[in-house]
Amino acid sequence: MDPYDTPESTPRHGASSRLKDYFIGATPLRKRLEAVRKQASFVPTPPRRKIPQCSQLQEDNDPQKFAFLLHKQWTLYSLTPLYKFSYTNLKEYSRLLSAFIAAEKQKGLAVEVGEDFNIKVTFSTLLGMKGTQRDPEAFLVQILSKSQLPSENRGQKVLWTGWFCCVFGDSLLETVPEDFTCVPLFLANGAETNTAIVGTWFQETFDCHFSSLAINAFNLSWMAAMWTACKMDQYMATTEFLWSVPCSPQSLDISYAIHPEDAKALWDSVHKTPGEVTQEEVDLFMDCLYSHFHRHFKIHLSATRLVRVSTSVASAHTDGKIKILCHKYLIGILAYLTELAIFQID
Amino acid sequence: MSVLRPLDKQPGLNTATILLVGTEDALLQQLADSMLKEDCASELRVHLARSLPLPSSVDRPRIDLIVFVVNLHSKYSLRNVEESLHHVDATFFLGKAAFLATGAGRESHCSVHRNTIVKLAHTYRSPLFFCDLEIEGFRATMAQRLVRMLQICAGHVPGVSALNLLSLLRSSETLAPEDL
């Protein structure tokens, strides 16, 4: 159909094959255009998705390594690919970023009372935070405060944490040229001003663009279904949903809490295909909750907007805030969020 | 009678009637007002309904065009439309029915996926319009479009019939979403 359709496996080594690529047109830009064109014809909603399982890569790692990522509220952003980012230059980047932050703070743009300007920035890679071997390594940026007193040297307070990752980002990785590093998902915890400063530095240094990732009600209901489907040994929190009713003058909030085992029992009765979650199952799961609520309160929850979902695995808010509670399904959660981030970049 | 049929009544002289079906009362009212503001050679009548079937006790003129309005922010409106579709005779879907999806502009508020409504419109072989009825300008444009479509469906435009219009609209869709 398309005269420029090329086979996927065109090797890009050597000048002669580069010339051939130019004529055949298998440049990453063209692949990107084709991918976008395919998506523009109809918006894809995968009718089925894998239930997040422990991936092979993660099982080799010690769960304690990522313990500091759990139980914290992260604000989500999507990030376009970084140009000429190198994992070997991390020390250099931390030096540049601390200088930039010090300069910004000197300018008075982000002055916090009572804070000394001794700030240290560290960049480190998070090994194992990826889905396939093709995914780039995740890396972490932390802003620590250096205390003046030598006695407190060991306890450095972490002021701000941000990490970049890409989990199962194949659809983006295929269409991006060599000099770019794709880490579309960015999670930040800490003061908003620091997030803005770090974001500005990254945008200036690597020619990328951040945008905040909102999660709409459709995706929240998918998350609710997928996380309820996860097998847990013990449930730490009740499964809770929060809906916002659009009415004037102030919107009302409806909160619905279910015992996690009941939610799992409901999911098991709805779930048919092992290992996969389909759109029909998600719809049926949510419809059961809606009809139960309607039977008791005569309120149609389906006419309201789902704003927050909270399970024992993780909790997510529509403004793009997430809290991960269980390390076992971390990769699965990140995979879904990466998919949302990639979709937003496109 | 519980099923709406397109040709069961005599047409009124120079009258064109449109039926808007949807749960979003305020939006439907605003759309109706916008439509009535349009200049039109025919006499326009706009009927609003939350859902079908319509009460049979009311005496109403022949309905020339039905527009099912779905709010992408609310799954309830989608369910309501799906249920109402059962009360419409199949011959309406030969150009005299259309779907209108509102709320696609605010992606963060959407709880119905765009694909769902696209699939619904495809199943019923009817045109689908996306329009944010909350925004004045878009609503006025949509009202204009609907008035023109209504005139064709009522037979007031010589040389073009509803079925003609349907096949013209359909040929612009290059890709049938078969693998949905």
Side-chain angles (χ1 to χ4, degrees):
Chain A
M1 185 167 61
D2 189 347
Y4 296 109
D5 249 5
T6 58
E8 292 288 309
S9 59
T10 312
R12 299 193 80 241
H13 51 81
S16 58
S17 64
R18 258 180 223 275
L19 208 56
K20 197 165 67 163
D21 286 343
Y22 175 76
F23 286 122
I24 293 175
T27 54
L29 178 61
R30 188 162 288 282
K31 270 196 222 164
R32 190 114 189 81
L33 285 174
E34 272 172 14
V36 171
R37 202 181 304 137
K38 265 186 223 147
Q39 273 194 345
S41 56
F42 62 91
V43 176
T45 169
R48 44 194 73 236
R49 251 193 204 103
K50 285 215 152 38
I51 295 177
Q53 307 284 352
C54 301
S55 77
Q56 291 289 49
L57 293 164
Q58 202 201 0
E59 273 170 19
D60 304 333
N61 291 307
D62 183 18
Q64 288 305 322
K65 213 161 57 138
F66 301 134
F68 71 99
L69 298 173
L70 305 179
H71 301 284
K72 273 208 190 82
Q73 174 151 297
W74 302 100
T75 310
L76 298 171
Y77 296 88
S78 67
L79 177 60
T80 58
L82 304 171
Y83 183 62
K84 285 207 160 61
F85 176 86
S86 157
Y87 287 96
T88 51
N89 286 353
L90 294 183
K91 278 219 171 14
E92 175 77 14
Y93 296 149
S94 43
R95 209 174 45 81
L96 289 171
L97 185 53
S98 20
F100 185 77
I101 292 177
E104 288 291 321
K105 291 208 191 273
Q106 291 280 344
K107 268 194 234 177
L109 286 175
V111 174
E112 276 150 42
V113 181
E115 193 199 27
D116 55 347
F117 290 148
N118 284 327
I119 294 183
K120 197 169 86 146
V121 174
T122 54
F123 273 64
S124 49
T125 47
L126 293 169
L127 295 170
M129 185 80 68
K130 54 190 192 172
T132 60
Q133 288 297 350
R134 264 183 89 180
D135 289 330
E137 292 288 351
F139 62 96
L140 176 76
V141 179
Q142 279 185 317
I143 300 180
L144 310 155
S145 68
K146 279 191 289 198
S147 58
Q148 299 282 26
L149 306 169
S151 61
E152 288 176 29
N153 225 358
R154 230 154 288 154
Q156 282 180 333
K157 207 162 66 117
V158 176
L159 295 175
W160 182 91
T161 316
W163 46 297
F164 300 74
C165 67
C166 176
V167 180
F168 292 109
D170 289 333
S171 56
L172 188 62
L173 291 169
E174 276 164 21
T175 58
V176 155
E178 278 170 12
D179 292 330
F180 286 87
T181 311
C182 283
V183 272
L185 188 62
F186 173 57
L187 302 95
N189 171 278
E192 190 51 47
T193 49
N194 287 333
T195 311
I197 294 175
V198 173
T200 316
W201 184 79
F202 267 88
Q203 281 173 159
E204 284 172 4
T205 319
F206 300 112
D207 195 25
C208 58
H209 180 69
F210 284 84
S211 49
S212 45
L213 183 64
I215 310 173
N216 64 20
F218 178 76
N219 291 321
L220 280 177
S221 53
W222 261 94
M223 283 182 185
M226 288 199 295
W227 297 343
T228 310
C230 293
K231 258 198 282 289
M232 298 278 288
D233 302 323
Q234 63 181 54
Y235 291 99
M236 292 173 286
T238 52
T239 304
E240 208 179 298
F241 298 85
L242 186 68
W243 282 274
S244 162
V245 182
C247 62
S248 58
Q250 288 166 319
S251 64
L252 293 174
D253 285 333
I254 298 177
S255 164
Y256 185 177
I258 318 170
H259 195 274
E261 279 165 27
D262 292 339
K264 182 78 166 73
L266 174 63
W267 173 256
D268 287 336
S269 66
V270 164
H271 186 50
K272 299 285 179 313
T273 41
E276 278 183 336
V277 179
T278 62
Q279 178 70 55
E280 290 83 30
E281 287 168 6
V282 174
D283 284 340
L284 194 52
F285 178 68
M286 295 306 289
D287 282 343
C288 290
L289 297 174
Y290 292 153
S291 56
H292 181 81
F293 197 84
H294 178 69
R295 198 181 314 133
H296 287 274
F297 299 103
K298 296 283 175 280
I299 294 178
H300 287 281
L301 281 176
S302 45
T304 61
R305 181 168 74 109
L306 183 58
V307 158
R308 190 165 179 272
V309 167
S310 174
T311 62
S312 301
V313 173
S315 77
H317 189 278
T318 192
D319 290 338
K321 303 210 187 323
I322 189 158
K323 197 189 270 195
I324 306 173
L325 303 170
C326 174
H327 70 269
K328 223 165 89 164
Y329 297 103
L330 183 60
I331 293 291
I333 296 169
L334 292 177
Y336 188 66
L337 293 174
T338 310
E339 195 181 319
L340 293 182
I342 291 176
F343 186 68
Q344 186 169 344
I345 297 174
D346 283 340
Chain B
M1 62 185 91
S2 63
V3 175
L4 275 178
R5 282 175 225 283
L7 298 172
D8 59 351
K9 292 194 182 152
Q10 298 280 358
L13 189 62
N14 210 31
T15 318
T17 311
I18 183 172
L19 173 66
L20 299 175
V21 179
T23 52
E24 308 289 314
D25 304 323
L27 292 178
L28 291 189
Q29 188 65 52
Q30 285 174 329
L31 182 60
D33 291 337
S34 304
M35 283 183 74
L36 291 170
K37 283 202 203 110
E38 291 291 316
D39 311 326
C40 180
S42 340
E43 191 187 305
L44 284 183
R45 298 179 71 141
V46 183
H47 284 241
L48 304 176
R50 275 196 76 100
S51 66
L52 298 175
L54 298 172
S56 49
S57 53
V58 177
D59 183 34
R60 72 179 65 79
R62 183 182 84 165
I63 292 175
D64 298 306
L65 176 62
I66 305 181
V67 179
F68 295 96
V69 180
V70 175
N71 187 354
L72 291 180
H73 299 180
S74 149
K75 258 199 209 164
Y76 176 60
S77 69
L78 179 66
R79 291 274 175 271
N80 182 55
V81 160
E82 279 173 358
E83 254 138 68
S84 302
L85 282 167
H86 299 150
H87 297 274
V88 178
D89 187 49
T91 43
F92 252 112
F93 297 105
L94 293 172
K96 295 196 175 203
F99 292 89
L100 177 62
T102 181
R106 279 198 292 178
E107 177 64 34
S108 58
H109 286 229
C110 286
S111 53
V112 175
H113 200 282
R114 198 171 162 260
N115 250 6
T116 316
I117 187 81
V118 168
K119 204 154 83 162
L120 182 67
H122 182 71
T123 313
Y124 283 92
R125 302 285 190 267
S126 293
L128 171 64
F129 304 114
F130 284 95
C131 172
D132 265 328
L133 291 177
E134 290 165 22
I135 299 173
E136 175 74 47
F138 296 162
R139 191 170 64 228
T141 316
M142 192 74 239
Q144 245 179 12
R145 245 182 127 167
L146 286 179
V147 166
R148 297 289 164 258
M149 213 175 143
L150 174 60
Q151 284 189 294
I152 292 172
C153 292
H156 295 180
V157 177
V160 188
S161 71
L163 197 49
N164 221 334
L165 180 64
L166 180 65
S167 49
L168 277 176
L169 285 174
R170 202 169 326 140
S171 65
S172 62
E173 289 168 29
T174 50
L175 193 71
E178 278 137 8
D179 27 359
L180 276 177

